[in-house]
């Protein structure tokens, strides 16, 4: 997102700097409050830090919420350089090595455009994993969650206790599920991703 011209004009009232949440690309987050900024929030990268511009009147709780939202938006913008199928397969291999000791080895991993009510699906007998094209442009940790979910199905086909135990290995499972649940709510889709009892990742 571009820098705010109001900020450049010297209207910042207060600036605070903090460390980003785990997994963020930037080394620090700087929040700049502006008296002239009424409702809008924006963010941009400035070197190795992320600058978030907010209205001066925002509470600390609102500030924290908006920092998280804007970090996700920036991450989504930066990941819009969509991975090809070969890149996706390599990413799945790395995730399998990291979380499953390399035991989940898909025969194919690819994007598909015919999954509009699910985020991913897996056919264990064929070793094939398919991810919905709608994930393209979402934060990397969300795409990784769906990949890990489907990789886990290569080891445990159903959604029983053993499956969910495997998924605990991925540290951002709850955050990713929350993000996708928000997308489902916004789009009024009929299924929540990864709901227990579903065979594919919804």
């Amino acid at each position: 997102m571009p820098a705010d011209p109001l900020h450049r004009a010297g209207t910042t009232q207060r600036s605070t700097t903090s460390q980003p949440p785990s997994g963020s690309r930037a080394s620090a987050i700087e929040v700049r409050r502006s008296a002239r900024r009424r409702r809008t929030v924006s963010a941009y990268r400035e070197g190795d830090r992320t600058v978030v511009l907010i209205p001066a009147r925002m509470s600390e709780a609102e500030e924290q919420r908006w920092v998280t939202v804007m970090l996700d938006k920036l991450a989504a913008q930066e990941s819009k350089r969509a991975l090809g199928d070969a890149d996706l397969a390599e990413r799945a291999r790395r995730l399998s090595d990291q979380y499953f000791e390399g035991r989940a080895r898909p025969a194919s991993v690819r994007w598909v455009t015919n999954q509009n009510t699910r985020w991913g699906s897996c056919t264990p007998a064929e070793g094939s994993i398919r991810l919905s094209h709608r994930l393209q442009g979402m934060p990397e940790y969300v795409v990784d969650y769906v990949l890990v979910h489907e990789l886990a199905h290569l080891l445990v086909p159903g959604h029983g206790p053993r499956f969910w135990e495997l998924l605990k290995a991925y540290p951002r499972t709850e955050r990713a599920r929350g993000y996708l649940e928000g997308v489902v709510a916004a789009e009024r889709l009929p299924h929540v991703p990864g709901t227990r009892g579903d065979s594919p990742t919804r």
Side-chain angles (χ1 to χ4, degrees):
M1 297 182 183
D4 185 347
L6 289 180
H7 165 65
R8 297 302 184 193
T11 60
T12 300
Q13 187 178 74
R14 182 167 66 87
S15 176
T16 58
T17 302
S18 62
Q19 293 302 311
S22 174
S24 174
R25 294 180 180 181
S27 62
I29 301 164
E30 182 177 345
V31 178
R32 298 176 183 171
R33 290 174 173 264
S34 169
R36 293 187 183 180
R37 185 176 286 269
R38 300 298 181 186
R39 291 179 296 180
T40 60
V41 177
S42 63
Y44 60 93
R45 305 292 192 199
E46 189 174 79
D48 65 349
R49 72 177 58 234
T50 300
V51 177
V52 182
L53 307 171
I54 65 173
R57 61 177 178 77
M58 272 194 180
S59 67
E60 293 298 320
E62 289 175 317
E63 173 183 318
Q64 292 178 10
R65 181 173 67 86
W66 275 107
V67 164
T68 298
V69 168
M70 298 312 290
L71 285 176
D72 280 346
K73 284 188 175 182
L74 280 176
Q77 287 183 340
E78 291 166 352
S79 68
K80 279 186 177 177
R81 298 179 294 277
L83 297 171
D85 288 350
D87 299 316
L88 203 61
E90 174 60 21
R91 192 161 174 173
R93 185 194 65 76
R94 292 199 307 268
L95 290 168
S96 176
D97 288 344
Q98 184 173 358
Y99 298 112
F100 303 133
E101 300 177 338
R103 292 181 294 124
R105 291 295 184 191
S108 66
V109 184
R110 61 191 175 91
W111 297 107
V112 294
T113 58
N114 61 350
Q115 293 188 158
N116 293 317
T117 59
R118 62 183 66 179
W119 301 110
S121 60
C122 173
T123 305
E126 299 175 358
S128 61
I129 290 175
R130 298 163 298 279
L131 264 60
S132 171
H133 72 287
R134 294 184 304 123
L135 288 164
Q136 293 174 342
M138 291 189 187
E140 289 182 1
Y141 74 90
V142 176
V143 178
D144 284 352
Y145 161 70
V146 178
L147 276 173
V148 169
H149 185 112
E150 301 309 334
L151 286 167
H153 277 310
L154 293 178
L155 304 174
V156 180
H159 283 94
R162 284 183 58 226
F163 172 83
W164 294 104
E165 191 65 31
L166 279 176
L167 217 58
K168 286 181 181 178
Y170 184 61
R172 307 187 81 178
T173 289
E174 291 307 315
R175 185 178 179 192
R177 283 172 57 83
Y179 184 98
L180 292 173
E181 286 168 355
V183 173
V184 169
E187 297 180 356
R188 292 183 170 84
L189 294 175
H191 298 289
V192 174
T195 300
R196 300 189 185 207
D198 293 343
S199 53
T201 305
R202 296 291 184 179

